[in-house]
Amino acid sequence: MQAEQQLKASLKEINDLKAALDEHAIVAITDPQGKISYVNEKFCIISKYAREELLGQDHRLINSGHHSKEFMRELWTTIARGQVWKGEIKNRAKDGSLYWVDTTIVPFLNEDGKPRQYVAIRADITERKRAEEAFRESEALFSKAFRLSPDCLVISRLSDRTVIRANDALCRLWSSRPEEVVGKPSREYASWLKEEDQQEFLRNLHARGECLNYETTVRMADGRLLDFNISSRMIFFNEEACVLSVMRDVTEHKRAEAAAAQLAAIVQSSDDAIIGKNLDGVITSWNAGAEKIFGYAAPEIVGQSIRQLIPPDRQQEEVKILECIKRGDSIRHFDTIRLRKDGSAIDISITTSAIKDPAGKIIGASKVARDITERKAAEAKIRQLNVELEQRVLERTAELESFSYSVSHDLRAPVRAIGGFARILQEDHAAALAPEAQRLLGRIHDNAQKMGQLIDGLLAFSRLGRQPLNKQPVMVSALVHRALEELQPEHAGRRIKISVTELPDCQADPTLLQQVYTNLLSNAFKYSRDRNPAIIEIGSRDEKGRRVYFVKDNGAGFEMDYAHKLFGVFQRLHRADQFEGTGVGLAIVQRIIHRHGGQIWADAAPGKGAMFSFTLEPKNVYG
Amino acid sequence: MAEALAEVLLVEDSPDDAAFFVRAFEQTGLAARLRVLPDGAEALAFVFGTGRFAALQPAANPRLIVLDLKLPKVNGLEVLRRLKADPRTRRIPVVIWSSSQEARDLAESCAMGVNSYVVKPMAFDEFGRSVQMLCQYWLQFNQAPEQ
């Protein structure tokens, strides 16, 4: 009875314990093969299976697959040996959700000492696990952020500045590996250039617990001086007062800033207007020079359209300028007119170039405008002076020509008289004259005749300057053939090869151009008379876009040293007893060519012939 | 009445040029008389029978007038104009005989109806040849209307 009572009491005790256990823990019992024979209410709740669905089922029903084969094997061998297994297991509930349980598996042994059943007692630790995982993740994240930050990060002990942690950027800067720097005083790697900066920085740090965006210069171990922006904060790390510092290398930035400031100062101080505008023609910057030239202050005009400065009749210019800029082209020294604030016009010279962003995309234009009012006035003055000068030259030339014309005209009669009377003496009084007197009279006559030729040449030359130029389309080849025909008697009986090649038509005074060919060809015949055969070429060629006509012979030629004398009046390169002439022909030719606006020049060598080339139109200024 | 000898009038102020002209003319052997007058006023007086030529018998009737342009008193162009403007003298051939090769002189002479314009050659020999050729042409080859 007492035993029964004792047993009853024991049973009650056990039931109470079981009830307490069920209240606290997740309990399951399996047979040695792992088949579930018992689950408590808590097991059903957490696994979301009904008890009937669990009993008799293999315990692997709730395996999550999270754990490795080794882990599971170790569990089973432990409990199969009759030992208690403790650990944390991740299981899968019926709906697929996962949960963590802190597990103790106790094998109950039979008389042989073999497991009879396994009792698993578990506690739900899903929340704790989640928190741990989150913490680990955030730890990893922050550690990564610390390590990989592009800024230099360091945690050092406040007392002696020993490095506790340093990130990759700092290690790179210090050219060391993280494990080398930890435990070393930071001054081994870098020190403040100015002691007073460091003192002030530390005072702030101590007073406020932090010092932010302090800029100073740091001398690196290798001697480099770098500018840093430093922010530090006091922190406690492993119960020690430490300093967390963020340091940014601003050396380049400061250099760029200084350069930009210098450029800005240069722009600002320029006398030229330097104006920025975007691709819509809206003004984005305006320097003091612009203010001086145009009269607008920067705040008045920035944000306005550049067209405000352009006279109504020149608006089209801006369209063209913007087109150019968008193509990436520049416009250099474009002289134009713009409007001041007061509406007055101003002569300016503009140079406009594209502004590109760092990627090379055109985002606007810079325009440098120079006030050229004075230059324009000076140019106008020069032009006026030129006109006056030209007028004066014309007047003087006309005076001189009419003088030389009348002088040479009046000289004709006496010269003819001298020659004439000498001849009359010879003819009518031959008997009364000694042979020597006869000879001398002949010399007088010849010289008078020569002087007459000179006077006629001078008259022809002078007449040319006063004759109006009658320009019209001319068939040059026809004109050359006429000149050749006219000269035929001069070289009758000589063996001469004449070749006339392409001679394009032109605009010229036909009479004068024929005179040019007559004189050039007459020279060519004259100076080639010792050649057998004489070869004379008449043609044209293209030279730098200009049509050049030429007459070439294989005659006596001349030394190029004297070429500059060739076209002067009465200038001769040959002695009169070699080749007769007055020295007027080429002067006339040059005068005709110049009156057409063309040029004439000669290429020759003694004994190798000469080539005279000329153009009939002014030089192409765009060539 | 025996036919009067043809008369050529030379109006020339330069005695040298006149002398050369006369010499060359005489060498032609033309059956003609040459009268030389030194200025335009004399020439007009002779042709129109005025002044010291008022009593001239028979009245002047030159077959050819050779006229220099640069003349004292009345210049050659003015003489030409007056000759060609008057119906009595319009038909007399007038040859301008000048040193001038000025286009303007040539154009004006033509406009006034000059019959020929000859530039005095510089060289003495050519000068003489020109005189002979122009006199022979106008007196021998050219057919003049009956008066």
Side-chain angles (χ1 to χ4, degrees):
Chain A
M1 196 52 201
Q2 200 185 352
E4 194 179 334
Q5 267 188 338
Q6 272 180 343
L7 186 64
K8 236 182 195 169
S10 281
L11 276 175
K12 185 179 185 307
E13 190 90 340
I14 286 167
N15 272 331
D16 285 350
L17 277 171
K18 182 174 174 291
L21 186 63
D22 284 339
E23 196 59 39
H24 171 76
I26 300 155
V27 181
I29 299 172
T30 68
D31 67 11
Q33 281 69 47
K35 198 171 283 170
I36 298 169
S37 55
Y38 172 83
V39 289
N40 73 351
E41 187 62 24
K42 272 189 151 341
F43 191 105
C44 294
I45 289 168
I46 198 165
S47 70
K48 296 184 172 115
Y49 284 103
R51 182 166 288 120
E52 309 83 70
E53 291 175 299
L54 291 163
L55 292 177
Q57 294 298 316
D58 193 302
H59 195 282
R60 275 176 295 195
L61 180 68
I62 57 167
N63 265 9
S64 67
H66 171 80
H67 302 285
S68 65
K69 272 186 184 146
E70 292 73 29
F71 178 88
M72 298 308 288
R73 196 180 301 131
E74 190 264 338
L75 185 160
W76 280 106
T77 48
T78 305
I79 57 174
R81 279 204 304 271
Q83 287 168 351
V84 173
W85 185 89
K86 281 181 196 240
E88 292 175 348
I89 295 181
K90 195 179 198 176
N91 284 334
R92 183 189 302 275
K94 185 185 178 185
D95 65 358
S97 62
L98 300 165
Y99 58 92
W100 277 94
V101 282
D102 183 34
T103 305
T104 302
I105 303 172
V106 184
F108 283 22
L109 307 176
N110 60 16
E111 294 79 4
D112 303 335
K114 299 269 191 232
R116 171 166 57 82
Q117 61 180 18
Y118 301 112
V119 177
I121 301 163
R122 296 164 165 109
D124 182 359
I125 56 163
T126 308
E127 273 313 307
R128 198 196 86 206
K129 273 289 186 188
R130 196 168 292 151
E132 275 176 16
E133 212 156 291
F135 181 72
R136 243 191 335 271
E137 272 173 16
S138 104
E139 271 292 272
L141 193 68
F142 284 116
S143 153
K144 206 175 245 181
F146 179 88
R147 223 164 48 74
L148 299 179
S149 160
D151 290 338
C152 299
L153 298 178
V154 61
I155 299 171
S156 57
R157 203 180 290 137
L158 179 61
S159 52
D160 57 4
R161 314 294 292 187
T162 300
V163 175
I164 294 169
R165 290 277 190 280
N167 77 344
D168 294 358
L170 189 65
C171 291
R172 263 199 308 279
L173 180 70
W174 287 352
S175 309
S176 305
R177 287 195 303 278
E179 58 271 22
E180 291 174 335
V181 304
V182 170
K184 298 242 176 67
S186 58
R187 63 176 176 280
E188 277 193 19
Y189 298 99
S191 55
W192 292 54
L193 185 68
K194 292 183 192 146
E195 177 66 21
E196 62 271 26
D197 275 12
Q198 192 171 20
Q199 294 307 324
E200 183 189 30
F201 181 81
L202 289 174
R203 266 199 308 282
N204 287 340
L205 188 62
H206 282 289
R208 297 200 302 268
E210 63 177 19
C211 183
L212 303 180
N213 292 317
Y214 193 91
E215 284 200 358
T216 189
T217 308
V218 172
R219 186 192 297 282
M220 309 306 295
D222 60 9
R224 274 184 303 159
L225 291 178
L226 298 178
D227 291 316
F228 276 92
N229 174 301
I230 304 178
S231 291
S232 293
R233 188 183 290 267
M234 296 247 264
I235 57 168
F236 275 89
F237 187 75
N238 294 336
E239 297 177 358
E240 264 189 311
C242 292
V243 182
L244 166 65
S245 297
V246 182
M247 301 181 295
R248 176 170 297 175
D249 182 352
V250 292
T251 315
E252 267 314 303
H253 179 73
K254 286 195 82 155
R255 197 171 295 156
E257 230 172 33
Q262 195 185 6
L263 282 181
I266 291 169
V267 166
Q268 200 55 28
S269 66
S270 167
D271 272 347
D272 291 345
I274 301 176
I275 300 167
K277 66 182 177 188
N278 66 16
L279 289 181
D280 297 323
V282 174
I283 295 167
T284 51
S285 70
W286 186 263
N287 75 339
E291 179 170 343
K292 208 163 74 191
I293 290 175
F294 294 104
Y296 294 98
E300 290 179 292
I301 193 85
V302 169
Q304 306 283 319
S305 170
I306 194 93
R307 286 169 177 273
Q308 203 166 320
L309 307 175
I310 304 174
D313 58 329
R314 287 177 183 261
Q315 290 285 334
Q316 203 54 28
E317 286 178 9
E318 178 63 12
V319 177
K320 288 191 184 131
I321 290 171
L322 280 177
E323 274 171 13
C324 249
I325 291 305
K326 284 171 186 166
R327 278 201 308 272
D329 293 343
S330 301
I331 297 147
R332 302 203 165 276
H333 309 302
F334 168 58
D335 288 0
T336 184
I337 293 171
R338 291 293 179 260
L339 297 178
R340 288 202 191 86
K341 187 184 177 186
D342 63 10
S344 59
I346 177 170
D347 287 309
I348 58 167
S349 166
I350 296 176
T351 293
T352 303
S353 0
I355 299 175
K356 295 174 181 172
D357 69 7
K361 191 181 149 219
I362 294 163
I363 51 169
S366 70
K367 170 172 151 177
V368 180
R370 173 163 299 181
D371 182 350
I372 53 166
T373 316
E374 280 176 28
R375 197 189 85 198
K376 282 275 174 187
E379 280 173 6
K381 180 90 188 160
I382 288 169
R383 264 198 305 278
Q384 194 198 333
L385 283 175
N386 268 339
V387 167
E388 285 174 16
L389 199 63
E390 203 137 306
Q391 185 57 38
R392 230 177 296 166
V393 167
L394 281 178
E395 282 166 14
R396 289 290 145 80
T397 310
E399 275 171 30
L400 199 64
E401 287 196 335
S402 88
F403 171 76
S404 71
Y405 182 81
S406 59
V407 164
S408 21
H409 193 264
D410 291 350
L411 283 176
R412 293 186 68 164
V415 167
R416 184 167 50 234
I418 293 167
F421 287 121
R423 175 53 53 95
I424 290 171
L425 265 178
Q426 278 181 301
E427 287 178 0
D428 296 0
H429 305 276
L433 289 171
E436 178 64 5
Q438 285 267 15
R439 195 185 64 82
L440 290 175
L441 280 172
R443 295 281 294 267
I444 291 172
H445 173 263
D446 289 351
N447 275 292
Q449 191 148 341
K450 198 164 160 210
M451 190 165 172
Q453 283 170 358
L454 291 177
I455 288 169
D456 274 355
L458 202 58
L459 279 169
F461 181 72
S462 146
R463 210 165 35 242
L464 203 61
R466 296 179 298 150
Q467 195 169 319
L469 197 65
N470 177 25
K471 266 198 180 189
Q472 52 186 276
V474 172
M475 274 181 65
V476 180
S477 58
L479 193 141
V480 165
H481 282 108
R482 268 204 302 280
L484 284 169
E485 248 167 57
E486 196 180 294
L487 292 168
Q488 179 71 36
E490 284 191 16
H491 57 83
R494 282 174 55 195
R495 203 152 77 86
I496 300 178
K497 282 187 184 168
I498 299 173
S499 76
V500 182
T501 53
E502 202 208 342
L503 287 168
D505 298 350
C506 69
Q507 282 282 328
D509 184 313
T511 314
L512 295 181
L513 187 57
Q514 175 147 5
Q515 178 81 61
V516 166
Y517 272 110
T518 302
N519 290 9
L520 290 179
L521 286 168
S522 166
N523 277 354
F525 289 129
K526 179 163 70 183
Y527 291 102
S528 66
R529 70 178 164 211
D530 297 335
R531 299 284 182 270
N532 189 13
I535 300 169
I536 291 171
E537 292 170 56
I538 304 137
S540 72
R541 60 179 188 269
D542 241 342
E543 207 169 86
K544 293 174 199 151
R546 283 195 305 171
R547 175 57 53 180
V548 176
Y549 296 88
F550 65 85
V551 173
K552 192 177 171 187
D553 65 63
N554 64 339
F558 54 85
E559 277 180 52
M560 283 303 280
D561 289 352
Y562 305 114
H564 62 281
K565 287 186 156 184
L566 213 49
F567 299 103
V569 182
F570 297 148
Q571 295 282 358
R572 300 211 61 222
L573 300 188
H574 296 273
R575 292 210 320 269
D577 55 359
Q578 293 174 315
F579 294 102
E580 70 292 344
T582 57
V584 177
L586 283 178
I588 286 176
V589 166
Q590 187 189 47
R591 189 151 203 189
I592 293 172
I593 297 300
H594 284 180
R595 287 203 62 196
H596 280 81
Q599 286 169 301
I600 180 159
W601 63 98
D603 298 287
K608 299 246 169 79
M611 176 165 72
F612 286 85
S613 306
F614 64 89
T615 61
L616 286 166
E617 271 157 284
K619 227 180 211 170
N620 186 350
V621 288
Y622 305 103
Chain B
M1 174 179 144
E3 201 172 317
L5 210 55
E7 189 172 40
V8 173
L9 172 62
L10 169 68
V11 191
E12 170 65 83
D13 67 321
S14 157
D16 297 337
D17 280 356
F20 297 148
F21 195 102
V22 170
R23 187 170 186 271
F25 183 83
E26 282 169 353
Q27 285 173 351
T28 61
L30 283 166
R33 249 170 5 119
L34 176 65
R35 184 188 287 267
V36 182
L37 293 175
D39 66 60
E42 286 269 281
L44 288 171
F46 170 71
V47 174
F48 291 111
T50 55
R52 74 177 172 100
F53 297 105
L56 191 71
Q57 278 303 329
N61 183 25
R63 278 277 299 280
L64 171 68
I65 300 175
V66 178
L67 192 58
D68 192 5
L69 278 180
K70 277 178 75 183
L71 291 171
K73 296 183 185 167
V74 180
N75 74 26
L77 281 176
E78 176 59 16
V79 173
L80 175 66
R81 192 187 66 72
R82 299 264 287 273
L83 291 174
K84 292 299 178 187
D86 195 304
R88 290 171 293 166
T89 52
R90 183 180 297 155
R91 291 166 181 231
I92 306 170
V94 179
V95 174
I96 295 289
W97 173 246
S98 164
S99 291
S100 171
Q101 293 183 54
E102 285 292 281
R104 200 194 50 216
D105 287 341
L106 216 106
E108 283 183 27
S109 303
C110 282
M112 287 178 204
V114 77
N115 299 79
S116 187
Y117 190 112
V118 179
V119 175
K120 288 181 193 169
M122 260 317 285
F124 175 75
D125 296 345
E126 276 176 53
F127 186 97
R129 263 198 301 283
S130 290
V131 170
Q132 290 164 359
M133 277 166 72
L134 85 87
C135 290
Q136 280 166 348
Y137 173 80
W138 283 108
L139 297 180
Q140 287 186 331
F141 295 102
N142 187 54
Q143 205 62 49
E146 288 302 320
Q147 296 294 309

